[in-house]
Amino acid sequence: MALTALLLPLAMAQVAADAAPPPDPAPAPPVLASPGAPDSPEDVDSGMIDGRRRPGTTAPLPDKVTQDNPGAVRAPPPEAFPTDQIPVPDRWRLIESLGVVKERWQDPYHQNTLKGDRAIDRAKVPWLPIREDDWFFSLSAVSDTVLEPRTFPIPVGVQTTERPGSLDVFGKDASFVFSQTFLLGLGLTKGNTAFKPPHIEYRVALAFNYNYVNVPERRVLHVEPSKPSHRADHFVGVQEAFIDYHLRNVSDRYDFDSVRVGVQPFQADFRGFLFNDQQLGIRFFGNRDDNRVQYNLAAFWRLEKDTNSGLNSVVQSPRDDLLFIANIYRQDFLIPSLTSQIIVAYNRNREGNDIEIDKNGFPVRPALLGTLRGRDYDVVYLGYNADGHIGRLNLTTSAYAALGQDRNSFFTDRKADIRAFFGAAELSYDHDWMRFRLSGLYASGDSDPYDDKETGFDAVFENPVFAGADTSYWIRQSIPFAGGGRVIGISGRNGVLNSLRSSKEQGQSNFNNPGTMLAGAGADFDLTPQLRISANANHLWFENTTTLQTLRNEGSIPRNIGWDLSSAAIWRPDANQNIVLRLSGAALLPGAGFRDLFDNAGGHKRYYSVLANVILSY
């Protein structure tokens, strides 16, 4: 009790202290204003700076907008609008109407009506006979410029040479080629082609070529020895002129059947080993199984080609040379990510009674080999091709068997069975910005010209993208077979096969040839998105030299052709295909077989080719 009486006053005093207001704080020291500082918050500039904002400052809002329309009809509720589709007039120009893009006719890379990105505005072209709004016009223009200094074995003419007194089998080897090609393409297409085939397409492409060639010997460019050893020529060719008509859709995923009639491009396999050309024909094509299966049924009536430009000549009657092709592609067949193709092609040639002289006066049909007689032949090509990748490895393979009959072999003037074979493969590996490649090719050669069998493989019209393509010396250049055949090349320009033809463009296939073997390695380096550097090293052999020995009357000719070394730089300044500049160089280091067949007046041990190419596309 005494303790409680003692503590109670102390507790009462503490409660009173806690409830009392705190003492006034000590007055703060005066703050001296900086010179030029505002005297009050109202003097602070709170305005907005263009492109910037003062932290913590908000621009003043505009006055509230009110509207009073007694009796006005209210807006329809959202339920009144369709939810599946809303019609928009001229939807192709909607983004331009919103100011998102602005079309420029001279810009081929962005949206452009001239490039088929937008439908034709019928109000601006009332004279055009179209009645619906899904017609598209496409214009393409290409300039292809080639400068090509080169050396190759050049035979000396029988009658005269460029330098009197320097008679020999072979003359000087240096030559120069300039070629300028302008390509203009026009297309008119109906349909929404972004996700399904066009209903109908009309297309025309014309090519104008000017070429100039200078060689050191006469009778190389002209048959007349009186003409000079340089030549300028020009030609206009029709490279495309077709109608593409959509027959039907066969699924809700737009699997389809279509037909195309006219002069059209066609590539029979992935790399262009058998046939890669623009020819007059009819083609049925389409796909199945959500585009996992594609097919082609085609028939081509081959056009004559201009001698010096290689363009189609529609002013001449087509050749008596027909090609029928059926192929089918299947994606992910046998191996996922690998597309397989099976092809059957039939080449029917009935030019045995024709005599064709080229533009420069040289006979090209029949070829001036053997008995110099014309030939008819029937050849069936059975092939399998594959393209894709197996894991990290990219793979392209091709295999063909050529089976048929030559009605008049130029060695025996008798019928001969054609039994020839071809195989090629390219394996590559990608590592970051580098690709490394291995290439191999085998084309059988004829081992006995007189056994009524022709076993040298030849294509219909090859244009291979393989082993360096036209960067390679052997693929790019045509090597004349001097001493064993007149106006005959061992290999054709832009071709890898040693086919002994008078001309790839105007001559006939020849299955009496020495065949070809190639083993190569290469690499591509994408140093920047604009610059790629490539290098290739190929070694070439004749598969069998018996045909060469017979035509040259030699006891033995080695098989070794030599090393083909090349490199190229491709520069795309804008990282697209509108401007492409390429500079490549190639050298042939002859082997024993090539040295046995060829020589040159300068005694040069190597042959070279330089290619400068500028492609401008619109």
Side-chain angles (χ1 to χ4, degrees):
M1 182 68 181
L3 181 59
T4 302
L6 180 62
L7 295 177
L8 183 59
L10 295 175
M12 296 289 289
Q14 181 63 40
V15 170
D18 292 340
D24 294 335
V31 179
L32 300 179
S34 300
D39 297 333
S40 65
E42 290 77 8
D43 297 331
V44 177
D45 182 12
S46 60
M48 304 297 290
I49 302 175
D50 186 24
R52 303 177 62 187
R53 181 174 65 85
R54 187 189 301 276
T57 301
T58 303
L61 299 176
D63 296 336
K64 182 179 180 180
V65 177
T66 60
Q67 183 176 2
D68 186 13
N69 291 327
V73 179
R74 69 179 181 85
E79 295 81 7
F81 295 95
T83 58
D84 55 347
Q85 60 181 0
I86 300 177
V88 177
D90 202 352
R91 58 188 175 87
W92 294 282
R93 291 172 177 79
L94 180 61
I95 58 175
E96 185 175 9
S97 301
L98 296 175
V100 178
V101 298
K102 182 176 178 59
E103 179 176 348
R104 295 181 298 172
W105 69 268
Q106 71 274 20
D107 184 356
Y109 191 66
H110 297 92
Q111 278 198 321
N112 192 323
T113 303
L114 297 179
K115 301 297 293 180
D117 298 325
R118 292 178 174 143
I120 298 173
D121 188 351
R122 290 191 295 152
K124 295 183 178 180
V125 285
W127 50 268
L128 200 60
I130 56 176
R131 299 179 180 178
E132 297 180 12
D133 292 328
D134 57 346
W135 283 90
F136 297 83
F137 173 77
S138 59
L139 169 68
S140 61
V142 178
S143 170
D144 188 351
T145 306
V146 171
L147 293 171
E148 187 177 3
R150 58 185 181 171
T151 63
F152 62 92
I154 298 178
V156 172
V158 177
Q159 291 85 354
T160 183
T161 69
E162 185 73 11
R163 299 162 307 283
S166 60
L167 296 176
D168 203 343
V169 177
F170 292 94
K172 292 195 171 183
D173 57 359
S175 66
F176 173 78
V177 174
F178 168 76
S179 177
Q180 173 64 55
T181 303
F182 295 104
L183 181 67
L184 178 66
L186 305 173
L188 188 62
T189 305
K190 175 179 171 55
N192 299 317
T193 60
F195 57 93
K196 63 179 181 179
H199 294 301
I200 190 167
E201 178 183 5
Y202 304 94
R203 183 158 185 83
V204 175
L206 303 178
F208 170 79
N209 174 265
Y210 171 84
N211 57 81
Y212 173 80
V213 185
N214 194 343
V215 298
E217 300 293 343
R218 295 176 184 259
R219 289 208 71 201
V220 175
L221 303 178
H222 301 278
V223 70
E224 300 93 338
S226 59
K227 290 192 174 182
S229 58
H230 57 84
R231 179 192 65 217
D233 191 25
H234 63 276
F235 189 79
V236 177
V238 179
Q239 300 306 99
E240 290 182 352
F242 65 78
I243 299 175
D244 187 319
Y245 183 73
H246 182 69
L247 297 174
R248 61 172 182 165
N249 293 322
V250 296
S251 73
D252 57 359
R253 299 295 183 89
Y254 295 107
D255 290 330
F256 69 94
D257 295 314
S258 290
V259 60
R260 179 177 293 180
V261 181
V263 181
Q264 55 189 287
F266 187 81
Q267 184 169 314
D269 52 54
F270 295 109
R271 295 299 183 95
F273 289 121
L274 180 64
F275 178 78
N276 184 7
D277 199 9
Q278 300 90 19
Q279 284 293 345
L280 175 64
I282 178 171
R283 172 187 168 210
F284 293 92
F285 62 100
N287 58 16
R288 294 293 188 273
D289 194 17
D290 296 343
N291 199 33
R292 294 186 181 94
V293 176
Q294 300 94 33
Y295 75 90
N296 290 280
L297 296 171
F300 295 99
W301 191 7
R302 297 183 63 190
L303 298 172
E304 288 284 3
K305 300 263 187 190
D306 176 63
T307 303
N308 299 323
S309 67
L311 301 177
N312 290 333
S313 176
V314 296
V315 298
Q316 295 178 266
S317 299
R319 299 175 55 175
D320 197 356
D321 191 1
L322 300 177
L323 176 65
F324 303 90
I325 294 178
N327 62 27
I328 185 169
Y329 298 81
R330 173 66 187 186
Q331 298 180 15
D332 302 323
F333 181 70
L334 298 180
I335 300 175
S337 72
L338 190 71
T339 299
S340 292
Q341 183 219 52
I342 296 175
I343 180 172
V344 178
Y346 167 48
N347 187 200
R348 176 189 179 276
N349 186 284
R350 294 294 181 270
E351 298 177 313
N353 295 323
D354 293 351
I355 297 178
E356 182 68 21
I357 308 298
D358 71 16
K359 197 174 183 177
N360 303 319
F362 296 105
V364 289
R365 295 197 304 271
L368 300 186
L369 286 171
T371 60
L372 311 182
R373 294 184 60 182
R375 298 184 300 120
D376 296 335
Y377 54 85
D378 299 273
V379 187
V380 174
Y381 294 90
L382 305 176
Y384 170 79
N385 299 277
D387 184 71
H389 63 90
I390 303 174
R392 293 289 302 275
L393 295 178
N394 307 305
L395 177 65
T396 296
T397 62
S398 183
Y400 284 102
L403 310 173
Q405 187 179 74
D406 188 343
R407 304 296 180 87
N408 184 30
S409 172
F410 61 76
F411 277 107
T412 65
D413 283 339
R414 299 192 302 264
K415 293 182 179 180
D417 293 329
I418 298 172
R419 301 289 186 270
F421 302 93
F422 171 89
E426 184 172 275
L427 191 68
S428 64
Y429 178 80
D430 295 330
H431 179 71
D432 200 357
W433 47 276
M434 299 174 288
R435 167 171 287 190
F436 303 95
R437 292 177 278 103
L438 294 176
S439 305
L441 180 144
Y442 171 86
S444 62
D446 195 356
S447 59
D448 186 352
Y450 299 103
D451 63 353
D452 295 333
K453 289 185 180 179
E454 299 180 358
T455 57
F457 184 87
D458 197 6
V460 180
F461 191 92
E462 61 164 333
N463 198 353
V465 183
F466 182 77
D470 56 1
T471 297
S472 158
Y473 181 93
W474 195 258
I475 294 177
R476 179 70 181 175
Q477 304 303 327
S478 177
I479 308 300
F481 183 49
R486 286 161 283 178
V487 202
I488 301 296
I490 281 191
S491 62
R493 191 166 174 84
N494 295 328
V496 68
L497 300 176
N498 300 321
S499 54
L500 290 180
R501 292 171 74 157
S502 58
S503 166
K504 185 178 77 171
E505 290 78 13
Q506 297 178 276
Q508 295 175 290
S509 297
N510 175 25
F511 301 93
N512 280 308
N513 65 63
T516 311
M517 293 193 299
L518 178 149
D524 301 323
F525 305 97
D526 291 327
L527 303 182
T528 70
Q530 295 84 13
L531 180 61
R532 168 177 290 184
I533 302 295
S534 298
N536 294 277
N538 301 324
H539 196 271
L540 296 116
W541 301 265
F542 298 114
E543 197 276 331
N544 194 302
T545 60
T546 303
T547 302
L548 301 178
Q549 296 171 23
T550 303
L551 293 173
R552 287 284 293 262
N553 292 318
E554 290 193 31
S556 65
I557 297 176
R559 298 166 57 193
N560 186 8
I561 296 174
W563 282 96
D564 179 359
L565 308 178
S566 62
S567 62
I570 300 176
W571 182 43
R572 303 179 304 155
D574 296 330
N576 57 40
Q577 297 301 111
N578 296 112
I579 303 176
V580 180
L581 297 93
R582 180 173 61 150
L583 180 64
S584 66
L588 178 68
L589 282 59
F594 193 93
R595 292 195 300 268
D596 191 292
L597 290 169
F598 305 110
D599 199 355
N600 59 80
H604 302 145
K605 297 182 179 180
R606 297 176 179 83
Y607 298 89
Y608 71 85
S609 170
V610 176
L611 176 64
N613 184 210
V614 178
I615 299 178
L616 306 177
S617 303
Y618 174 83

